[in-house]
Amino acid sequence: MSSSTDSAWPKHAPEAVTNLIDQHFPQLREAMGNYAIEQLGPGTATVRLPIEQKNIRPGGTISGPTMFGLADAAAWIVILSEHGPVAVQSVTSSMTINFLARPEPMDLVCHASALRLGRRLAVIDCRVMSSGSSTLVAQATCNYAMPREN
């Protein structure tokens, strides 16, 4: 990975990041569903996940793996937005999630914010809420290992 971002990469462009993911990791959409990048900014992303029946667990709430996957994807989206194609090979090295409230079966929104975007490690704070609510249903801290420089 180059120490600087490719100057041609359109930072903070949702369509560019979505295309990059669809090109290199189409399985993400298969696993999660039809997520949408709603907003990108310097070190931040807002990602929406429309909830499908496959995301709902017995008892009428959204499954933990669904919330975990959304937070993990949102963290990766922050990294891709900042670094572009050179960061496609970044991987989750650890993740801690706290489930804080029982979400209703409605769209989830994750606000992800970089705490550190280093050459070897990225640390992203992810806050998951039900659509239209400011109540946190989960909070995660995602650590990503960045690809080695060639």
Side-chain angles (χ1 to χ4, degrees):
M1 182 175 119
S2 172
S3 60
S4 64
T5 303
D6 180 351
S7 61
W9 175 249
K11 276 188 171 187
H12 317 134
E15 185 176 296
V17 174
T18 299
N19 290 339
L20 188 63
I21 293 169
D22 288 347
Q23 177 186 0
H24 291 280
F25 190 49
Q27 304 91 323
L28 181 62
R29 199 170 293 284
E30 294 170 17
M32 278 187 44
N34 199 22
Y35 68 90
I37 301 171
E38 293 191 333
Q39 185 176 7
L40 292 175
T44 65
T46 300
V47 181
R48 176 178 296 271
L49 180 63
I51 296 304
E52 302 173 25
Q53 188 60 41
K54 70 180 182 180
N55 306 119
I56 301 172
R57 59 166 291 184
T61 189
I62 299 172
S63 72
T66 298
M67 292 182 273
F68 187 98
L70 175 59
D72 189 32
W76 194 43
I77 287 166
V78 168
I79 294 164
L80 292 174
S81 175
E82 290 296 324
H83 294 288
V86 297
V88 166
Q89 293 183 25
S90 60
V91 294
T92 309
S93 59
S94 68
M95 187 165 158
T96 303
I97 190 163
N98 298 293
F99 299 105
L100 304 170
R102 180 185 164 139
E104 297 296 321
M106 60 185 353
D107 289 4
L108 290 179
V109 176
C110 181
H111 300 286
S113 180
L115 302 176
R116 174 183 166 81
L117 285 173
R119 288 182 335 126
R120 302 289 294 132
L121 177 71
V123 180
I124 314 292
D125 175 63
C126 299
R127 296 170 183 264
V128 180
M129 293 160 249
S130 295
S131 181
S133 174
S134 61
T135 302
L136 286 177
V137 296
Q139 180 280 327
T141 303
C142 305
N143 295 313
Y144 262 75
M146 303 302 289
R148 293 179 190 249
E149 292 184 16
N150 293 330

